Amino acid sequence: MQARDVMVSPVVTVGPTATVRQVAQMLLEHRISAVPVVDADNKVLGIVSEGDLLHRAESGTERSSSWWLRLLTGDAQLATDYVKSHSIKVQDVMTQEVATAAPETPLHEIAMLLEERQIKRVPIVNKERQLVGIVSRANLLQTIASARPKLEISLPDSVIRKRFFEELRKQPWAHTFNVNATVQNGVVDIWGFAPSLAERTAIRVAAEAIPGVVTVNDHLLETPAFVY
């Protein structure tokens, strides 16, 4: 699946001249946690999230400006914090460095971007850098919740065993020379060694995912790799 398959569109947006109060009202009204800031051509200038509005003078939550904090951060950072907490203009409080993606971006790349940048949403832009949608963590969860189970056809025991080892050979973590398996009436018994609990668990999961598998009995012993 691609970003276009799960993105929310159209997107609620604001212009750079909007006020912080207007943005706060918009977040509450639409029950969203962030809003992209766009120019007259619908190109992304920044984004304002709930996090950008945490330390505001209106709520008495602005950051402390004690002398020791000044020594640690410097006057420039204190001035930046002051702007964030006191400015009434969106353009002053928005996050300007926004990670974006194209509509054709695969969902696994969106997930990696969310994780690596530690963000909760990614604006989706076209070739002209115009905003066409937005993908949030919640949208990825929705794809999981709405996934339909695959049509499963029971496979013969010999095919199950073959599929199991084919899957393991694809995985760089799997030491297949340390693993053996027997299959009888859909019951898979796994024997051998695994260098870690993580690999042992992954081997079991690989077997359980094969159509026709009824039960997996894990007889693996945890020991360093390269033990025959």
Side-chain angles (χ1 to χ4, degrees):
M1 297 181 72
Q2 300 176 336
R4 67 167 76 252
D5 299 318
V6 302
M7 70 183 187
V8 174
S9 182
V11 184
V12 177
T13 63
V14 295
T17 59
T19 66
V20 170
R21 182 171 180 272
Q22 288 173 329
V23 169
Q25 292 174 332
M26 186 175 295
L27 296 178
L28 292 173
E29 178 184 351
H30 294 279
R31 297 183 180 182
I32 54 179
S33 59
V35 57
V37 182
V38 298
D39 62 14
D41 295 321
N42 204 37
K43 295 182 179 180
V44 179
L45 301 175
I47 193 166
V48 180
S49 69
E50 294 171 333
D52 294 313
L53 305 181
L54 280 181
H55 302 286
R56 291 289 302 178
E58 297 93 331
S59 58
T61 55
E62 62 266 46
R63 296 183 186 277
S64 171
S65 58
S66 57
W67 65 268
W68 59 266
L69 186 61
R70 181 179 179 184
L71 290 176
L72 291 174
T73 61
D75 289 343
Q77 183 59 53
L78 292 179
T80 299
D81 291 343
Y82 181 86
V83 171
K84 274 270 192 179
S85 61
H86 288 77
S87 178
I88 63 172
K89 298 179 181 179
V90 165
Q91 60 189 11
D92 293 325
V93 302
M94 69 182 184
T95 299
Q96 297 185 32
E97 296 182 6
V98 183
T100 62
E104 301 79 17
T105 305
L107 287 192
H108 71 87
E109 293 185 14
I110 297 290
M112 290 296 295
L113 186 59
L114 292 170
E115 183 179 31
E116 291 173 357
R117 297 290 294 268
Q118 296 185 347
I119 53 180
K120 296 181 179 180
R121 64 202 61 80
V122 178
I124 308 302
V125 298
N126 60 21
K127 295 180 180 178
E128 289 73 37
R129 305 296 297 173
Q130 295 172 315
L131 182 69
V132 295
I134 195 165
V135 175
S136 68
R137 293 182 180 182
N139 299 138
L140 297 186
L141 291 178
Q142 289 163 1
T143 65
I144 299 173
S146 61
R148 298 292 183 267
K150 295 180 180 179
L151 181 61
E152 293 190 356
I153 302 175
S154 295
L155 300 174
D157 290 344
S158 60
V159 177
I160 290 176
R161 187 175 189 274
K162 180 182 177 183
R163 290 272 188 92
F164 171 65
F165 282 107
E166 286 176 344
E167 178 63 23
L168 290 189
R169 291 187 187 102
K170 296 177 185 176
Q171 309 307 323
W173 47 261
H175 304 283
T176 54
F177 49 80
N178 283 335
V179 178
N180 192 21
T182 59
V183 184
Q184 294 184 12
N185 299 320
V187 178
V188 181
D189 285 89
I190 305 174
W191 309 85
F193 304 94
S196 67
L197 176 59
E199 182 173 322
R200 180 178 177 179
T201 302
I203 291 172
R204 172 180 56 78
V205 168
E208 290 174 340
I210 300 173
V213 170
V214 178
T215 305
V216 176
N217 297 319
D218 176 6
H219 307 287
L220 290 168
L221 300 176
E222 290 180 38
T223 187
F226 307 112
V227 176
Y228 288 84

